[in-house]
């Protein structure tokens, strides 16, 4: 304690050097053969003694300039550089020492003089001698290779947004920017982009190892699958066949691994030395509330040195990664690359506003990479206003733990709000009405032409809520167990169910709480039903992102056989007002927030072992012993092996100074070390505390115990309200969907006006007289292709749906109407849409109805007029052929003689038969029908 500040700093530096594997010696006692890495104090040079000269295998490679704490290291860089260029006695070569450090007892910064434009960077710890030896033996540095060795990107097989992201990232890395942010919309291929970059950094940048960081095990599994499925352009082998990819499920990194996939929770466990249960990796950081006392502090781990990774790709690690977990990222001397679809201010700040690529969801929809969405609202009386149960009503009471029901009377009047639904009170009618309303809306309005239910994902509040929803779905749809399944971490084999949901016919509907809320790809998804509210803006955007993936017709039809086109949209069905609730960018990290018991339990499992958290949890458990009945306490004790009161006592003892002292003395005695209480070192006390904390927290690693405690804390029983029946107050597209539909229709009408002189199919409707022209199927196809290209992406189905969406509004004003919503669209329906948009056609055609219906109506008028003008009406056989010709025109715009060589005409005799029936009149009749039925 009486040492000078400079000496205190040097003591700390010595200790860190020794931790990194350096042998520290004084110059007068130098012995370069004692170790492969020697740090020599007060080493003389021709410009004065250097604080430390670093030797590796007897060769000087670096210099350390040591300063007292609070010193500003930047102003001492020139001094370090001077020593690096100085002559050292006995050294033959005159090259400057490449590795420069400035250090206090707290801060270390490092410069590699061989880098292009050498620049100092702060590092968490000194590098190992083996690392400096490897770097010194290389002909150039990583940063040099990033500038000079990365070839131009081959763009084959890459989207424009992916090309922009990879080239932007490589430019940023070449400029030695330590942090780079890639903002790419969900569905735009962030992971594919990242793997493409990883491949190039390994091959051309000669990176040693890259860390791919996620925040849940599920996302880690998915990333591993994508690495295994990646085949570099022009290569015959997959990525993992040439590069070892390790997904960390333990605290050991394979020395041969070039890519490590790991959760932030697991990496913290590795660096902190605190073991965690696998379940801690299941819950996204989005869902765990924390306070400032739970900040993650890591310590140097020689087995995982700071130079272990050259690059760290942070894949959608949300919120706390840039705050409480920040030291996990700061530990490694690596370039940080962020991937996100939902950045907020905190994300931009952490990555120093270095956004190397920005590709928004709106951009992705315009490019056809993702699909847009509509919001369809379902509002019921009880979800809006709640209900009341009178005292003495006989209802089921369901045990939350065992799920067993008992038929009991309510003790008092019970009022509940919509927010309390599915927590303390379950109203089966409310769930039933929402599911019925969804079923009806999908069948009659949203996807009226589908024979099977489109792939649907339902977000539930809790696991229990998910179970209740599944029962109602199966009953409402009259389907088997395979039809609707749960995909949560508590479900049986959720990965297998998720895979089936993604690629097979069944299940058609999946219910989840949080497992598929972020990052997980299910491309065939076309409906998201929200039966839970979400307050976090970022989390909500992530949840919506599950439906945005575009999918081609053939791939969609593999799981939804009655689909008639590419996936061109998804529908968000809002049954809880989630679109209208106030969203925040992040949940604020209050100084002293009142964390829920659930968050405290989950936090301890994830490694939140600060004194405040442990004391808070102990106090809550003590309170529980007074609130729970004997049966509940016994069930918890069976799971934990200890009474609840003992669990609390163990937590308090772990942070009690006297208990810590006794544990430290006991450990010293067991090691044969004589210690008195006063002689105990801070390190010995800390080690004893860590041991006590570890042991006290072990029971909470069990997800089953956490669930039992949390379930017991809540009301033990849920009331099943079967008395108050619910009713639907409103179903329909939201105002947002209405506005989007109007915007889409306006885009269509603007396109017609702008291109009426360029596209033949459009000029047909504007040039007079119609009779001089003939509309062909090729002209219709040309129009379809022009509309379907980005940025319009307008299909006949999408336009028809847009007109249908605004139908209610126009119906109220007795204007144009939309018919044929339940029919399968034909290519020629674009004719009806053009007529409707431009106001052309007969008075009857001011109602939007399928082109086939318009042709049918015109055919009736035409044949009636012809029969009236002819001496004899068309025979029944002639009329049958005329109807066949009419149907052909409805599907193909016109009929020609060559068409009679194909079905259905050829099945009835073809051209020979029709010429026999109509003779010389055939061509005249065909021309008339082509003109009058279409024009």
């Amino acid at each position: 304690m009486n040492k000078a500040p400079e000496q205190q700093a040097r003591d700390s530096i010595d200790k860190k050097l020794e931790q990194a594997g350096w042998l520290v010696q004084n110059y007068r006692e130098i012995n370069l053969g004692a170790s492969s890495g020697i740090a020599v104090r007060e080493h003389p040079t021709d410009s004065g003694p250097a604080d430390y000269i670093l030797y590796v295998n007897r060769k000087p490679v670096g210099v350390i300039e040591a300063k007292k704490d609070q010193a500003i290291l930047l102003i001492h860089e020139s001094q370090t550089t001077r020593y690096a260029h100085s002559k050292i006695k006995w050294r033959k070569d005159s090259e400057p020492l490449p590795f420069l450090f400035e250090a206090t007892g707290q801060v270390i910064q490092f410069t590699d003089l061989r880098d292009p434009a050498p620049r100092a960077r702060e590092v968490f710890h000194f590098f190992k001698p083996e690392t400096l030896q490897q770097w010194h033996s290389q002909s150039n540095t990583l940063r040099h290779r990033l500038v000079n060795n990365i070839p131009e990107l081959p763009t084959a097989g890459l989207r424009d947004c992916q090309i922009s992201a990879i080239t932007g990232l490589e430019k940023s890395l070449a400029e030695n920017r330590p942090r780079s942010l890639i903002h790419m919309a969900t569905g735009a291929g962030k992971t594919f982009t990242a793997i493409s970059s990883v491949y190039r950094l390994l091959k051309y940048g000669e990176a040693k190892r890259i860390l791919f960081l996620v925040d849940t095990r599920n996302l880690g599994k998915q990333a591993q699958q994508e690495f295994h499925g990646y085949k570099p352009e022009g290569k015959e082998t997959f990525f993992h066949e040439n590069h070892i990819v390790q997904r960390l499920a333990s605290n050991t990194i394979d020395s041969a691994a070039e890519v490590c996939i790991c959760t932030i929770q697991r990496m913290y466990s590795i660096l902190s030395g605190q073991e965690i249960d696998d379940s801690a990796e299941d819950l996204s950081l989005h869902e765990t509330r924390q306070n400032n006392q739970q900040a993650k502090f890591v310590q140097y781990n020689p087995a995982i040195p700071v130079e272990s990774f050259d690059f760290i790709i942070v894949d959608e690690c949300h919120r706390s990664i840039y705050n409480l977990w920040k030291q996990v990222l700061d530990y490694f001397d690596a370039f940080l690359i962020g991937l996100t679809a939902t950045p907020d201010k905190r994300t931009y700040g952490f990555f120093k506003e270095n956004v190397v690529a920005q590709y928004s969801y709106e951009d992705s929809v315009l490019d056809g990479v993702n699909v847009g969405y509509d919001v369809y609202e379902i509002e019921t009386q009880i979800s809006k206003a709640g209900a009341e149960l009178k005292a003495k009503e006989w209802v089921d009471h369901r045990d939350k733990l065992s799920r067993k029901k008992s038929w009991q009377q309510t003790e008092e009047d019970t009022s509940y709000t919509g927010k309390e639904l599915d927590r303390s009170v379950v109203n089966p009618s409310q769930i039933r009405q929402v599911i019925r309303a969804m079923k009806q809306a999908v069948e009659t309005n949203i996807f009226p032409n589908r024979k099977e239910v489109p792939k649907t994902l339902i977000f539930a509040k809790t696991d229990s809520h998910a179970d209740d929803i599944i029962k109602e779905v199966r009953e409402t749809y009259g389907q088997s167990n395979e039809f609707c399944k749960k995909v949560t971490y508590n479900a049986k084999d959720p990965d297998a169910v998720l895979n089936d949901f993604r690629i097979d016919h069944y299940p058609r509907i999946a219910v989840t709480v949080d497992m598929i809320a972020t990052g997980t790809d299910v491309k065939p998804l076309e409906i998201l039903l929200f039966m839970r509210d979400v307050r976090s803006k970022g989390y909500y955007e992530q949840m919506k992102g599950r439906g945005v993936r575009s999918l081609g017709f053939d791939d969609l039809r593999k799981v939804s056989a009655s689909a008639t086109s590419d996936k061109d949209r998804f529908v968000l069905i809002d049954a809880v007002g989630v679109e209208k609730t106030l969203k925040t960018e992040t949940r604020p990290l209050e100084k002293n927030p009142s964390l829920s018991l659930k968050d405290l339990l989950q936090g301890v499992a994830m490694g939140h072992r600060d004194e405040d958290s442990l004391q808070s949890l102990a106090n809550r458990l003590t309170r529980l012993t007074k609130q729970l009945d004997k049966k509940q306490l016994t069930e918890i004790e069976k799971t934990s092996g200890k009474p609840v009161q003992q669990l609390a006592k163990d937590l308090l003892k772990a942070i009690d100074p006297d208990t810590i002292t006794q544990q430290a003395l006991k450990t010293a005695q067991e090691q044969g070390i004589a210690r008195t209480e006063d002689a105990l070192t801070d390190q010995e006390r800390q080690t004893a505390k860590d041991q006590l904390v570890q042991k006290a927290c072990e029971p909470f690693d069990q997800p089953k115990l956490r669930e039992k405690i949390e379930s017991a804390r809540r009301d033990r029983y849920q009331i099943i309200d079967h008395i108050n029946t619910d009713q639907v107050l409103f179903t329909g597209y939201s105002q947002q969907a209405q506005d989007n539909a109007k915007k889409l229709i306006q885009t269509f009408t603007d396109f017609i006006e702008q291109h009426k002189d360029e596209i033949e199919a459009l000029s047909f409707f504007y040039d007079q007289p119609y009779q001089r022209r003939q509309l062909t199927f090729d002209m219709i196809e040309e129009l379809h292709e022009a509309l379907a290209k980005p940025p319009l992406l307008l299909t006949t189905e999408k336009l028809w749906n847009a007109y249908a969406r605004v139908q209610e509004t126009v119906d109220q004003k007795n204007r144009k109407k939309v018919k044929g919503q339940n029919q399968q669209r034909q290519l020629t329906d674009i004719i009806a849409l053009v007529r409707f948009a431009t106001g052309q056609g007969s008075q009857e055609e001011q109602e939007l109805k399928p082109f086939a219906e318009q042709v049918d109506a015109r055919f009736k008028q035409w044949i009636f007029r012809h029969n009236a003008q002819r001496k004899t009406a068309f025979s029944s056989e002639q009329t049958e052929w005329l109807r066949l010709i009419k149907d052909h025109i409805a599907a193909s715009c016109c009929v020609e003689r060559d068409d009679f060589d194909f079905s259905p005409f050829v099945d009835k005799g073809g051209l020979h038969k029709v010429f026999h029936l109509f003779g010389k009149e055939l061509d005249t009749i065909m021309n008339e029908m082509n003109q009058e039925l279409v024009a």
Side-chain angles (χ1 to χ4, degrees):
M1 295 300 294
N2 296 324
K3 291 180 181 179
E6 291 83 356
Q7 188 57 49
Q8 290 182 32
R10 295 212 180 186
D11 289 346
S12 178
I13 292 170
D14 286 353
K15 183 177 179 181
K16 290 179 179 179
L17 285 167
E18 290 167 356
Q19 287 176 329
W22 295 90
L23 180 62
V24 181
Q25 298 177 348
N26 292 320
Y27 178 71
R28 295 192 177 192
E29 300 168 349
I30 190 169
N31 178 2
L32 296 182
S35 176
S36 61
I38 305 289
V40 182
R41 301 189 192 98
E42 298 298 328
H43 197 298
T45 72
D46 68 352
S47 62
D51 291 333
Y52 297 83
I53 294 292
L54 301 177
Y55 283 84
V56 175
N57 294 334
R58 310 183 75 90
K59 293 181 180 179
V61 296
V63 59
I64 302 174
E65 179 62 25
K67 296 298 176 184
K68 65 181 179 180
D69 290 348
Q70 283 81 53
I72 300 173
L73 295 179
L74 289 175
I75 65 176
H76 300 287
E77 292 170 353
S78 59
Q79 187 177 357
T80 318
T81 304
R82 188 180 79 241
Y83 289 132
H85 286 79
S86 297
K87 290 184 178 180
I88 299 175
K89 194 173 184 180
W90 313 116
R91 186 186 179 201
K92 295 181 180 180
D93 63 86
S94 58
E95 289 293 317
L97 304 181
F99 306 126
L100 279 58
F101 296 88
E102 292 85 31
T104 68
Q106 307 296 324
V107 180
I108 305 170
Q109 72 174 29
F110 168 72
T111 305
D112 189 337
L113 287 183
R114 302 175 308 154
D115 284 340
R119 186 163 71 234
R121 61 184 186 267
E122 188 172 322
V123 293
F124 185 87
H125 204 273
F126 290 109
F127 306 127
K128 296 174 77 70
E130 296 86 347
T131 301
L132 295 190
Q133 166 66 22
Q134 182 185 20
W135 290 352
H136 193 261
S137 65
Q138 294 174 345
S139 59
N140 50 41
T141 69
L142 172 65
R143 283 158 180 77
H144 187 278
R145 296 193 293 272
L146 293 175
V147 173
N148 299 297
N149 290 16
I150 308 295
E152 185 176 344
L153 176 69
T155 58
L158 294 174
R159 297 169 177 162
D160 289 345
C161 61
Q162 294 169 337
I163 295 169
S164 174
I166 296 171
T167 54
L169 172 61
E170 291 177 353
K171 180 176 182 292
S172 176
L173 296 175
E175 293 170 353
N176 195 16
R177 296 181 181 271
R179 299 180 184 181
S180 306
L181 179 64
I182 297 174
H183 172 202
M184 288 179 71
T186 297
K190 290 193 303 298
T191 307
F192 183 87
T193 301
I195 296 173
S196 299
S197 293
V198 166
Y199 172 75
R200 287 170 60 79
L201 291 173
L202 289 172
K203 181 175 182 180
Y204 303 112
E206 299 176 36
K208 176 185 176 184
R209 188 180 294 118
I210 298 173
L211 174 62
F212 195 90
L213 205 61
V214 296
D215 73 344
T216 65
R217 272 193 301 174
N218 188 48
L219 295 185
K221 292 176 184 177
Q222 184 169 296
Q224 185 179 36
Q225 290 170 357
E226 294 204 41
F227 269 102
H228 282 208
Y230 178 81
K231 184 180 286 186
E233 184 66 27
K235 300 293 183 181
E236 295 299 321
T237 55
F238 290 99
F239 182 95
H240 72 282
E241 295 179 87
N242 300 300
H243 303 282
I244 296 176
V245 179
Q246 179 190 19
R247 182 170 66 84
L248 290 180
S250 68
N251 287 9
T252 303
I253 295 177
D254 183 348
S255 60
E258 293 174 272
V259 176
C260 289
I261 302 170
C262 184
T263 65
I264 184 73
Q265 298 93 319
R266 171 70 58 189
M267 187 53 66
Y268 169 68
S269 171
I270 293 172
L271 298 180
S272 68
Q274 295 186 9
E275 292 290 336
I276 60 168
D277 185 74
D278 288 347
S279 66
E281 302 178 84
D282 286 341
L283 192 64
S284 169
L285 299 179
H286 255 317
E287 287 292 89
T288 306
R289 199 176 184 195
Q290 300 161 89
N291 62 33
N292 289 331
Q293 299 300 317
Q294 296 172 328
K296 301 297 167 196
F297 296 106
V298 299
Q299 58 191 10
Y300 181 71
N301 183 345
I304 315 291
V306 297
E307 62 269 30
S308 294
F309 302 103
D310 291 324
F311 302 89
I312 299 177
I313 297 174
V314 186
D315 182 29
E316 296 288 11
C317 287
H318 306 287
R319 209 167 53 88
S320 294
I321 189 66
Y322 311 125
N323 291 276
L324 303 185
W325 299 75
K326 179 175 175 290
Q327 280 212 23
V328 177
L329 295 180
D330 289 343
Y331 177 87
F332 294 105
D333 178 46
F335 287 96
L336 297 181
I337 302 165
L339 300 177
T340 185
T342 55
D344 61 15
K345 294 176 182 177
R346 198 164 292 169
T347 315
Y348 288 124
F350 179 81
F351 285 98
K352 301 183 177 182
E353 301 176 65
N354 182 29
V355 184
V356 300
Q358 196 152 17
Y359 188 68
S360 69
Y361 170 62
E362 290 74 19
D363 293 332
S364 70
V365 173
L366 289 175
D367 288 348
V369 171
N370 281 329
V371 297
Y373 72 98
D374 296 317
V375 177
Y376 193 92
E377 296 176 348
I378 297 174
E379 185 179 85
T380 74
Q381 178 65 37
I382 290 178
S383 60
K384 179 181 180 182
E388 181 179 8
L389 273 172
K390 295 295 185 182
K392 305 301 180 183
E393 293 281 10
W394 285 92
V395 294
D396 276 324
H397 288 63
R398 185 169 67 191
D399 188 306
K400 287 185 177 181
L401 294 175
S402 67
R403 310 289 287 165
K404 182 180 179 181
K405 295 177 183 177
S406 58
W407 188 247
Q408 302 175 29
Q409 282 183 302
T410 54
E411 296 179 0
E412 57 187 13
D413 291 351
T414 303
S415 296
Y416 60 89
T417 65
K419 291 183 179 180
E420 293 171 296
L421 277 171
D422 309 301
R423 300 192 188 277
S424 59
V425 177
V426 175
N427 186 303
S429 178
Q430 184 267 339
I431 298 174
R432 187 179 305 119
Q433 290 300 326
V434 169
I435 300 303
R436 286 180 178 178
M438 176 183 75
K439 181 176 184 290
Q440 182 177 12
V442 171
E443 292 174 350
T444 63
N445 196 348
I446 299 175
F447 290 101
N449 300 320
R450 294 293 180 84
K451 295 179 181 178
E452 68 282 297
V453 177
K455 289 282 185 174
T456 301
L457 179 63
I458 302 176
F459 290 111
K461 297 173 184 175
T462 63
D463 242 53
S464 174
H465 187 209
D467 292 339
D468 292 332
I469 291 171
I470 288 170
K471 290 178 182 177
E472 290 296 343
V473 167
R474 290 172 178 173
E475 186 172 328
T476 297
Y477 283 86
Q479 294 287 345
S480 67
N481 295 345
E482 298 300 309
F483 178 80
C484 179
K485 289 194 172 185
K486 182 166 67 172
V487 187
T488 68
Y489 291 111
N490 291 334
K492 184 178 180 181
D493 199 2
D495 291 332
V497 176
L498 177 57
N499 190 57
D500 290 343
F501 186 49
R502 187 183 284 125
I503 64 174
D504 286 346
H505 181 78
Y506 285 123
R508 301 307 303 171
I509 298 177
V511 184
T512 191
V513 178
D514 49 36
M515 184 174 169
I516 319 180
T518 62
T520 305
D521 292 338
V522 185
K523 290 185 178 181
L525 262 181
E526 295 183 272
I527 298 173
L528 301 180
L529 171 60
F530 277 81
M531 294 187 73
R532 62 170 287 192
D533 199 1
V534 185
R535 298 289 175 156
S536 163
K537 179 181 178 182
Y539 194 40
Y540 180 49
E541 292 301 321
Q542 284 286 321
M543 293 168 81
K544 285 198 298 188
R546 299 316 96 222
V548 304
R549 297 279 192 169
S550 60
L551 193 63
F553 174 50
D554 290 339
D555 288 328
L556 179 58
R557 197 166 54 172
K558 289 176 183 176
V559 294
S560 295
S562 64
T564 57
S565 65
D566 297 348
K567 176 183 171 183
D568 60 8
R569 64 169 180 147
F570 75 96
V571 177
L572 188 160
I573 302 180
D574 183 2
V576 291
V578 66
E579 272 282 304
K580 298 175 182 177
T581 54
L582 181 64
K583 303 288 188 295
T584 57
E585 282 202 339
T586 58
R587 286 182 287 186
L589 292 169
E590 306 160 27
K591 188 172 182 181
N592 292 301
S594 178
L595 295 182
S596 68
L597 179 57
K598 179 181 180 180
D599 284 330
L600 284 170
L601 289 165
Q602 186 68 30
V604 166
M606 292 172 67
H608 303 332
R609 308 290 170 83
D610 59 283
E611 290 193 7
D612 283 357
S613 294
L614 298 184
Q615 186 163 0
S616 295
L617 179 56
N619 291 340
R620 301 286 182 88
L621 293 174
T622 301
R623 205 179 308 159
L624 270 185
T625 62
K626 301 174 183 178
Q627 296 172 341
L628 304 183
D629 59 33
K630 185 176 180 180
K631 182 180 178 182
Q632 290 174 294
L633 293 172
T634 299
E635 287 178 346
I636 293 173
E637 183 176 348
K638 285 180 180 178
T639 304
S640 67
K642 296 179 181 179
V644 176
Q645 189 65 49
Q646 188 61 49
L647 292 172
K649 286 180 180 179
D650 289 346
L651 291 170
L652 292 175
K653 283 183 178 180
I655 56 178
D656 175 61
D658 291 337
T659 307
I660 293 170
T661 297
Q662 293 304 312
Q663 178 66 29
L665 290 172
K666 180 182 176 183
T667 301
Q669 184 180 9
E670 290 172 351
Q671 295 173 349
I673 302 172
R675 277 283 191 272
T676 63
E677 185 174 325
D678 293 338
L680 285 172
T681 66
D682 291 342
Q683 182 59 49
E684 287 172 328
R685 292 180 187 275
Q686 185 61 48
T687 300
K689 180 181 178 181
D690 291 344
Q691 291 172 349
L692 290 167
V693 168
Q694 178 74 15
K695 188 174 181 181
C697 293
E698 275 179 5
F700 304 105
D701 282 341
Q702 304 175 61
K704 188 176 181 181
L705 175 61
R706 299 199 300 270
E707 175 61 25
K708 279 190 180 293
I709 293 174
E710 172 59 14
S711 297
R713 181 206 60 83
R714 299 191 296 260
D715 291 336
R716 174 66 184 271
Y717 295 97
Q718 289 177 315
I719 295 175
I720 311 297
D721 179 8
H722 60 83
I723 295 173
N724 289 298
T725 56
D726 203 359
Q727 58 179 328
V728 176
L729 300 179
F730 172 77
T731 64
Y733 284 104
S734 68
Q735 186 59 50
Q736 171 259 358
Q738 300 275 355
D739 293 341
N740 286 348
K742 290 176 182 177
K743 183 179 178 182
L744 189 146
I745 290 168
Q746 187 61 52
T747 300
F748 178 53
T749 55
D750 290 345
F751 175 85
I752 293 173
E753 182 62 31
Q754 292 167 10
H755 298 277
K756 62 183 181 183
D757 297 326
E758 304 168 19
I759 298 177
E760 279 194 280
L762 294 178
S763 63
F764 171 84
F765 293 100
Y766 283 88
D767 291 347
Q768 298 292 336
Y770 294 148
Q771 286 74 11
R772 296 179 184 175
R773 297 179 55 79
Q774 179 170 302
L775 187 64
T776 66
F777 192 72
D778 288 343
M779 293 160 63
I780 292 298
E781 284 190 317
E782 179 196 12
L783 175 57
H784 264 281
E785 288 176 6
L787 287 168
K789 289 178 181 177
L792 295 178
L793 300 171
L794 297 178
T795 63
T796 305
E797 186 74 30
K798 188 182 290 187
L799 285 167
W800 209 279
N801 287 333
Y803 279 109
R805 250 161 266 159
V806 298
Q807 179 179 5
E808 292 180 9
T809 304
V810 296
D811 276 350
Q812 292 169 2
K813 299 178 181 179
N814 294 318
R815 293 183 182 175
K816 304 174 184 178
K817 298 181 180 179
V818 180
K819 287 185 64 180
Q821 283 178 255
N822 298 344
Q823 296 184 8
Q824 190 167 313
R825 300 270 71 77
Q826 294 189 87
L827 203 63
T828 50
D829 281 332
I830 195 68
I831 301 172
L833 287 164
V834 172
R835 279 187 182 142
F836 191 66
T838 58
Q840 298 186 27
S842 64
Q843 184 64 36
E844 293 79 9
E845 290 170 350
Q846 294 312 298
E847 175 183 14
L848 180 57
K849 54 186 177 182
F851 180 63
E853 289 188 28
Q854 295 181 359
V855 169
D856 193 57
R858 290 184 172 210
F859 174 74
K860 290 175 181 177
Q861 295 174 359
W862 175 81
I863 200 170
F864 178 81
R865 186 174 68 251
H866 261 267
N867 281 336
Q869 293 172 351
R870 293 168 64 91
K871 294 180 181 179
T872 57
F874 288 121
S875 67
S876 59
E877 190 175 12
Q878 286 177 318
T879 302
E880 180 184 356
W881 270 86
L882 291 173
R883 287 198 180 99
L884 289 175
I885 294 172
K886 178 261 295 182
D887 291 340
H888 183 80
I889 292 174
S892 304
C893 299
C894 66
V895 64
E896 297 175 344
R897 280 200 173 200
D898 290 345
D899 295 326
F900 293 109
D901 292 332
F902 301 95
S903 183
F905 303 114
V906 72
D907 300 332
K908 296 182 178 293
L911 181 61
H912 177 77
K913 178 66 176 180
V914 73
F915 194 81
H916 173 75
L917 288 173
F918 294 100
K920 296 180 180 179
E921 283 188 294
L922 177 62
D923 289 332
T924 302
I925 289 172
M926 286 169 53
N927 289 334
E928 280 189 31
M929 293 182 73
N930 282 335
Q931 291 175 2
E932 296 201 27
L933 302 193
V934 177

